[in-house]
Amino acid sequence: MFTTAFLDLAPLEEAGGTVVLPGSKSISNRVLLLAALSGGTTVVHDLLDSDDTRVMLDALRALGCSVVHREAAVEITGIGGRPHPNPPPEGEGAPSPSPAGGGPGWGRSARLFLGNAGTAMRPLTAALALMGGEFEMSGVARMHERPIGDLVDALRRLGCRIDYLGNEGYPPLKIHPATALQLDAPIPVRGDVSSQFLTALLMALPLVATTQDVVIEVVGDLISKPYIEITLNMLQRFGIAVKRDGWQRFTIPAGSRYRSPGEIHIEADASSASYFVALGALAATTDPLRIEGVGAGSIQGDIRFVDAARQMGATVTSGANWLEVTRGAWPLRAIDLDCNHIPDAAMTLAVMALFADGPSTLRNIASWRVKETDRLAAMATELRKLGAQVEEGADFLRVTPPTNWRAASIHTYDDHRMAMCFALAAFNPAGVRVRIEDPRCVGKTFPDYFETLFSVSRTSTPHVPVICVDGPTASGKGTLASEVARRLGYHYLDSGALYRIAGLAATRAGLALDVAHEHTIARMAEALDIVFTEGRVLLHGQDVTEAIRTEEAGMNASRVSALPAVRSALVALQQGFRRLPGLVADGRDMGTVIFPDAPLKVYLTASAAQRAERRHKQLISKGISATLPGLRADLEARDARDSNRAVAPLKPAGDALLLDNSGQTVEESVAQVLRWWEEKRSFS
Ligand code: DC
């Protein structure tokens, strides 16, 4: 997952290959709650691992459920599905045993933090209000701006006791044990603000449908019906057969009882699939884009995004749990569509509209205003930054594609879908750059979204940004370059390590490091099997991290690096590190030989005295003894060899920016390089 302040996307050109998508958020959180309400253990396969499911799991644990991660599955042991209608007498506060036997009971009181997960907040509110107990429910600031009043009204009418701790109608909430429940009359709930209110009641009311049918009546039109379908489907899997009369009346039959299916598989998230369906429509020009885990057999409403994408020109074939997409019509065809049935995936259409042959209108999307952010306003603002003309209505959006694309830094409003759909703008035909601010927000539903996107996206090499940091030994290149890479979310190449490894391999093979063995060492260097992983370096599977860091290994690296054939042998390997989203490379000839077209080259210097002192501190801290004069003499000898060799001698590239860091802290040099980088990428 990218946890950087922003992620710069190079202009992207083509897409193709296979992605396996993470589990559905909506199904995951419904299954978790239903498993918790059931007796016995439910083994959940392919559960989404993201912010929203994590807060649900934490809540269930806090309530006394057992949650065990076993290999790829999660085992939830629930409470056996019977509420405690009255608080226990003093001294009997411990959870009651599960009627199913063996399972844990609900905690009698808990404070739950639910982040920004509507799929946790709403259903848990209903379940806990009916369960009995003292509970406090809160979330992030935005969660406290997302309405819950209609659900609370419905629950209060039943006899539940819920207080608002902040603003009327919004979390945080305090839940007290219910008084006598009124279940005779139909329970009215509004359906036109969020379908999650109805979902919450449907999932919680089986708890109390013991001796009589419980009826829910939807007031006003019901939005997002496909999500209710998911709810009903999941309830069915857990033994609750809800009777539905149209979309107005739902009956939970008397004697309903949650029964764990034992094992359950979560299908991949259809909303997450929308980005890759769109990607195929935009850029799968040679190979198809194959999506695995969700397909035509999906129970998720957002699978119907596929129809909308087809309408815009995508060519899509499908099986029960896969989709294959290629570009069809190009430019895409503009659409005018009622999107009420695909509220989340419709955001992806708004970005696809940038690539259409005329203005597109997305209608009936007022619910966007109460999601992770006011998505109508956010979408309009950010699309305009890219050069689109946008009309924002109360419940619609009209997007006219840009005539002049502009590079843009996209604000993401802590909304995963803003980040995910706007990443597709990187495929713009003008080749302008797109920056995604706060990319970590995708963690809500798809932590590895950008990695997955890059794995199936291609662009010509010159588009992949490289920052070179060259300089003499012990100038602090490695520290500077790896930190810059970390801040930008780019890959990092320590080219010196490659020469150190080549030197080590040659020495271990008993070769003298001289011209007589130049070609043998070069062939060896070409065949090196090197893996950089989590700060370790593996050579042919063996950990050589420490072995290549000694002073002797540095000197040997300097010797082999003076052999032209060895240098040539390592060129392709080094250039192979230039991958999306970008690279920071440090060495001696990054800017002069390996990446001569790099948009930013830094040449780092520091006085020999300074460098010797830094190296001295480094060695002493590792418990290795060394003397200052000795180190300085070594440094100067290496400088001399590296600078005077015939090929790729150490020298600044003509277009390098010089940075003397003798008097700077690491943070100061990092800030300087990041400033230079910013100056090269201005956004409107
Ligand atoms: O950066 P370092 O100290 O790990 O590099 C070890 C030696 O490798 C250095 O003395 C010269 C050589 N080298 C090189 O010639 N070209 C590079 N790009 C990187 C290192």
Side-chain angles (χ1 to χ4, degrees):
M1 178 156 98
F2 286 88
T3 54
T4 47
F6 56 81
L7 179 61
D8 282 338
L9 302 176
L12 301 176
E13 292 171 341
E14 221 189 289
T18 300
V19 292
V20 181
L21 297 181
S24 154
K25 171 187 73 166
S26 306
I27 300 179
S28 291
N29 268 355
R30 282 169 176 77
V31 163
L32 289 179
L33 182 60
L34 292 172
L37 295 172
S38 304
T41 298
T42 307
V43 182
V44 187
H45 298 276
D46 304 321
L47 184 75
L48 171 65
D49 179 12
S50 76
D51 295 347
D52 277 13
T53 51
R54 215 164 298 128
V55 293
M56 181 62 116
L57 284 169
D58 288 347
L60 298 182
R61 272 194 210 95
L63 292 167
C65 283
S66 132
V67 176
V68 179
H69 290 263
R70 208 181 294 284
E71 285 161 30
V74 181
E75 297 178 2
I76 312 287
T77 304
I79 50 124
R82 282 291 172 254
H84 313 288
N86 295 304
E90 218 41 54
E92 287 179 31
S96 312
S98 146
W106 290 87
R108 282 315 199 145
S109 70
R111 290 179 123 167
L112 305 179
F113 175 79
L114 300 168
N116 197 6
T119 53
M121 176 64 83
R122 277 80 178 249
L124 272 171
T125 295
L128 295 178
L130 292 169
M131 279 286 177
E134 299 281 345
F135 303 101
E136 228 176 272
M137 324 263 292
S138 66
V140 299
R142 174 63 188 170
M143 189 76 243
H144 298 172
E145 295 169 2
R146 297 177 66 184
I148 198 163
D150 295 319
L151 175 62
V152 170
D153 287 350
L155 290 166
R156 279 179 174 168
R157 215 165 287 132
L158 273 175
C160 294
R161 292 195 300 137
I162 303 170
D163 295 332
Y164 295 112
L165 296 177
N167 292 333
E168 269 309 276
Y170 299 86
L173 305 175
K174 173 87 197 190
I175 296 173
H176 309 280
T179 47
L181 292 176
Q182 306 289 319
L183 299 166
D184 305 338
I187 302 156
V189 66
R190 268 181 72 176
D192 56 353
V193 174
S194 166
S195 67
Q196 283 177 3
F197 301 154
L198 176 56
T199 281
L201 292 177
L202 285 168
M203 294 212 292
L205 283 168
L207 283 168
V208 291
T210 43
T211 54
Q212 65 191 118
D213 286 1
V214 177
V215 178
I216 308 170
E217 259 175 18
V218 176
V219 181
D221 280 342
L222 178 62
I223 60 166
S224 315
K225 295 185 184 76
Y227 285 105
I228 301 303
E229 301 252 36
I230 297 180
T231 305
L232 297 179
N233 195 309
M234 287 303 117
L235 280 164
Q236 185 82 47
R237 299 291 304 276
F238 280 84
I240 310 287
V242 178
K243 277 185 278 176
R244 171 167 84 76
D245 303 304
W247 292 102
Q248 236 50 57
R249 209 178 145 88
F250 298 82
T251 305
I252 298 160
S256 284
R257 193 186 164 95
Y258 303 102
R259 273 195 320 273
S260 166
E263 285 198 48
I264 191 162
H265 285 262
I266 310 275
E267 59 180 65
D269 196 297
S271 315
S272 298
S274 74
Y275 312 111
F276 294 91
V277 172
L279 181 63
L282 294 176
T285 46
T286 323
D287 302 321
L289 198 103
R290 187 180 165 91
I291 298 161
E292 290 185 350
V294 64
S298 172
I299 61 162
Q300 299 166 71
D302 268 0
I303 197 66
R304 290 186 56 199
F305 173 83
V306 169
D307 301 331
R310 280 199 183 108
Q311 226 176 304
M312 293 191 82
T315 305
V316 187
T317 55
S318 61
N321 65 349
W322 58 268
L323 299 165
E324 245 177 52
V325 191
T326 49
R327 189 201 265 185
W330 192 256
L332 295 177
R333 289 187 290 263
I335 49 164
D336 185 326
L337 191 70
D338 182 324
C339 297
N340 194 264
H341 62 301
I342 48 169
D344 285 351
M347 293 176 74
T348 313
L349 293 176
V351 175
M352 287 173 81
L354 292 169
F355 300 85
D357 56 5
S360 292
T361 309
L362 309 181
R363 299 183 191 278
N364 204 359
I365 49 174
S367 70
W368 279 21
R369 296 209 186 271
V370 295
K371 297 292 174 110
E372 280 78 345
T373 184
D374 177 345
R375 286 177 169 170
L376 263 164
M379 184 59 79
T381 306
E382 303 308 311
L383 287 172
R384 285 187 191 118
K385 283 187 188 167
L386 288 160
Q389 259 184 48
V390 184
E391 187 186 340
E392 177 197 338
D395 67 345
F396 75 89
L397 197 71
R398 182 169 298 120
V399 183
T400 306
T403 38
N404 283 313
W405 284 84
R406 289 195 300 259
S409 182
I410 302 297
H411 190 67
T412 50
Y413 308 83
D414 200 16
D415 183 348
H416 55 140
R417 300 205 186 286
M418 288 295 288
M420 294 193 280
C421 65
F422 271 92
L424 298 171
F427 285 87
N428 68 82
V432 302
R433 266 189 318 275
V434 176
R435 167 173 290 183
I436 302 294
E437 296 172 13
D438 188 27
R440 90 180 69 198
C441 67
V442 302
K444 190 168 202 287
T445 51
F446 197 160
D448 291 334
Y449 173 73
F450 290 105
E451 290 84 345
T452 309
L453 177 69
F454 296 144
S455 74
V456 288
S457 299
R458 293 187 280 276
T459 193
S460 36
T461 306
H463 278 152
V464 181
V466 182
I467 299 176
C468 298
V469 181
D470 286 306
T473 206
S475 56
K477 303 182 301 294
T479 311
L480 173 66
S482 57
E483 182 56 17
V484 169
R486 200 182 66 77
R487 299 280 185 94
L488 296 172
Y490 285 1
H491 301 282
Y492 166 57
L493 167 62
D494 167 7
S495 62
L498 302 181
Y499 290 98
R500 286 169 183 265
I501 293 167
L504 182 76
T507 320
R508 285 185 175 175
L511 298 170
L513 310 180
D514 55 24
V515 277
H517 300 95
E518 176 172 355
H519 293 283
T520 317
I521 300 174
R523 274 195 301 277
M524 193 180 257
E526 225 157 25
L528 291 175
D529 165 22
I530 306 171
V531 178
F532 292 94
T533 173
E534 292 163 13
R536 312 302 297 174
V537 186
L538 306 183
L539 171 59
H540 301 299
Q542 197 192 346
D543 194 326
V544 295
T545 319
E546 271 81 41
I548 61 165
R549 283 293 141 210
T550 65
E551 287 302 289
E552 190 196 344
M555 204 53 101
N556 288 341
S558 174
R559 290 197 182 98
V560 293
S561 73
L563 305 172
V566 175
R567 300 200 75 82
S568 315
L570 290 176
V571 169
L573 180 60
Q574 295 174 80
Q575 290 175 339
F577 279 80
R578 187 173 191 171
R579 291 192 306 266
L580 290 170
L583 175 68
V584 184
D586 85 56
R588 303 294 187 288
D589 60 344
M590 297 298 99
T592 50
V593 177
I594 307 296
F595 304 111
D597 67 327
L600 176 61
K601 299 174 187 174
V602 177
Y603 190 83
L604 200 60
T605 55
S607 65
Q610 263 291 348
R611 290 186 284 132
E613 207 160 293
R614 284 181 193 158
R615 177 61 47 90
H616 189 242
K617 268 197 199 139
Q618 220 175 36
L619 292 175
I620 298 299
S621 75
K622 286 193 213 155
I624 302 168
S625 66
T627 67
L628 259 180
L631 282 172
R632 181 160 174 179
D634 275 5
L635 275 177
E636 286 175 339
R638 263 171 78 186
D639 282 357
R641 189 190 350 255
D642 294 347
S643 313
N644 297 323
R645 67 189 175 211
V647 280
L650 169 65
K651 63 162 198 251
D655 51 351
L657 299 171
L658 301 188
L659 179 60
D660 184 334
N661 69 2
S662 301
Q664 280 186 329
T665 62
V666 173
E667 182 49 40
E668 284 165 345
S669 336
V670 169
Q672 175 62 70
V673 173
L674 290 174
R675 257 196 315 277
W676 280 333
W677 188 233
E678 271 312 278
E679 282 162 18
K680 296 201 176 270
R681 9 214 73 206
S682 50
F683 292 101
S684 55

